[in-house]
Amino acid sequence: MRLEAITWDRLGDQLADRLLDLKSADGSPWPRVAVDGAPAARPGDLAERVGEALRIRGRPSLVVGIQGFLRPASLRLEYGHHDLEAYYNGWFDTGALWREVFGPLEPGGDGRVLPDLWDPATDRATRSPYVHLPPGGVLLLHGPLLLRHWFPFDLTVHVLLSDGALRRRTPESDHWTLPAYERYTEETDPAGTADVLVRADDPRHPAWSR
């Protein structure tokens, strides 16, 4: 796949321009976009850039991080702090995401989305208020392992790091999670299946496929 060098600012603008005409596949008035990537790839930064670029262009959006839908520690860490299977299959509350984020944005939904549910620092509910995304608004969901859950995305972006860059940019205390991303690559092939691929080995000089 041919990748073109680009700056992060231009990338945010180019993606926002592409999203201006994006329609949902199921007739929902709310297109849903994934910005997928390991924490070290900082997909949330790109999602925020795109959201701001959309705002400037007059299209509303809502940026939601999957990290705001972690399960309580008693469930995430039931089998220990470094259980790889639990991290891969059980850390994120996908049921809550379906109920509180994707459900309200289905055809006939009310657009009333909960932006986050659980604060891992306090291990308590965030109690954040619901946010109304008006019809035509774009959901930008960012985080790791997004493309393996059958979420109804209308456009997917994957921020890719090579194995070496992923290891270098992941804190040593989190290196135990790295095999999960190897498994994700083998089972899901996010770089091959995403609509847009962003390579970010050098965080100063990304490249992308249009």
Side-chain angles (χ1 to χ4, degrees), residues 113-182:
V113 175
L114 188 67
D116 53 58
L117 178 65
W118 201 259
D119 183 344
T122 63
D123 200 34
R124 295 180 182 275
T126 58
R127 302 189 184 280
S128 294
Y130 284 86
V131 176
H132 181 256
L133 186 61
V138 179
L139 171 71
L140 296 161
L141 180 68
H142 65 83
L145 311 174
L146 290 180
L147 306 187
R148 57 180 298 266
H149 297 297
W150 301 101
F151 291 138
F153 293 120
D154 300 296
L155 186 106
T156 55
V157 179
H158 177 65
V159 186
L160 174 67
L161 296 178
S162 67
D163 292 343
L166 179 60
R167 177 168 290 274
R168 288 193 304 273
R169 291 169 58 184
T170 298
E172 188 171 351
S173 60
D174 292 333
H175 277 190
W176 68 272
T177 66
L178 296 179
Y181 296 103
E182 295 176 11

Side-chain angles (χ1 to χ4, degrees), residues 57-78:
R57 287 159 173 75
R59 185 161 194 180
S61 65
L62 178 64
V63 178
V64 175
I66 195 175
Q67 289 86 348
F69 287 83
L70 283 168
R71 296 182 186 276
S74 60
L75 298 176
R76 293 197 318 274
L77 309 178
E78 182 179 1

Side-chain angles (χ1 to χ4, degrees), residues 2 36 44 50-51 57 87 90 93 102 108 111 121 128 139-140 166 169-170 186 190 197:
R2 183 172 177 270
D36 175 64
V50 175
R57 287 159 173 75
Y87 178 72
D93 193 342
F102 289 103
S128 294
L139 171 71
L140 296 161
L166 179 60
R169 291 169 58 184
T170 298
E186 293 171 359
L197 178 64

Side-chain angles (χ1 to χ4, degrees), residues 12-113:
D13 287 339
Q14 293 271 0
L15 286 173
D17 287 341
R18 181 166 177 174
L19 297 184
L20 285 178
D21 296 323
L22 182 66
K23 306 294 184 184
S24 62
D26 61 5
S28 165
W30 300 280
R32 293 139 300 193
V33 175
V35 186
D36 175 64
R42 304 182 68 86
D45 290 356
L46 179 56
E48 292 287 354
R49 285 179 185 272
V50 175
E52 176 60 18
L54 284 171
R55 184 192 66 80
I56 292 171
R57 287 159 173 75
R59 185 161 194 180
S61 65
L62 178 64
V63 178
V64 175
I66 195 175
Q67 289 86 348
F69 287 83
L70 283 168
R71 296 182 186 276
S74 60
L75 298 176
R76 293 197 318 274
L77 309 178
E78 182 179 1
Y79 301 105
H81 284 71
H82 295 163
D83 187 273
L84 197 63
E85 187 67 24
Y87 178 72
Y88 194 69
N89 285 312
W91 270 40
F92 299 104
D93 193 342
T94 55
L97 276 164
W98 279 105
R99 182 178 66 252
E100 303 290 0
V101 178
F102 289 103
L105 303 182
E106 291 177 348
D110 61 8
R112 187 170 174 264
V113 175

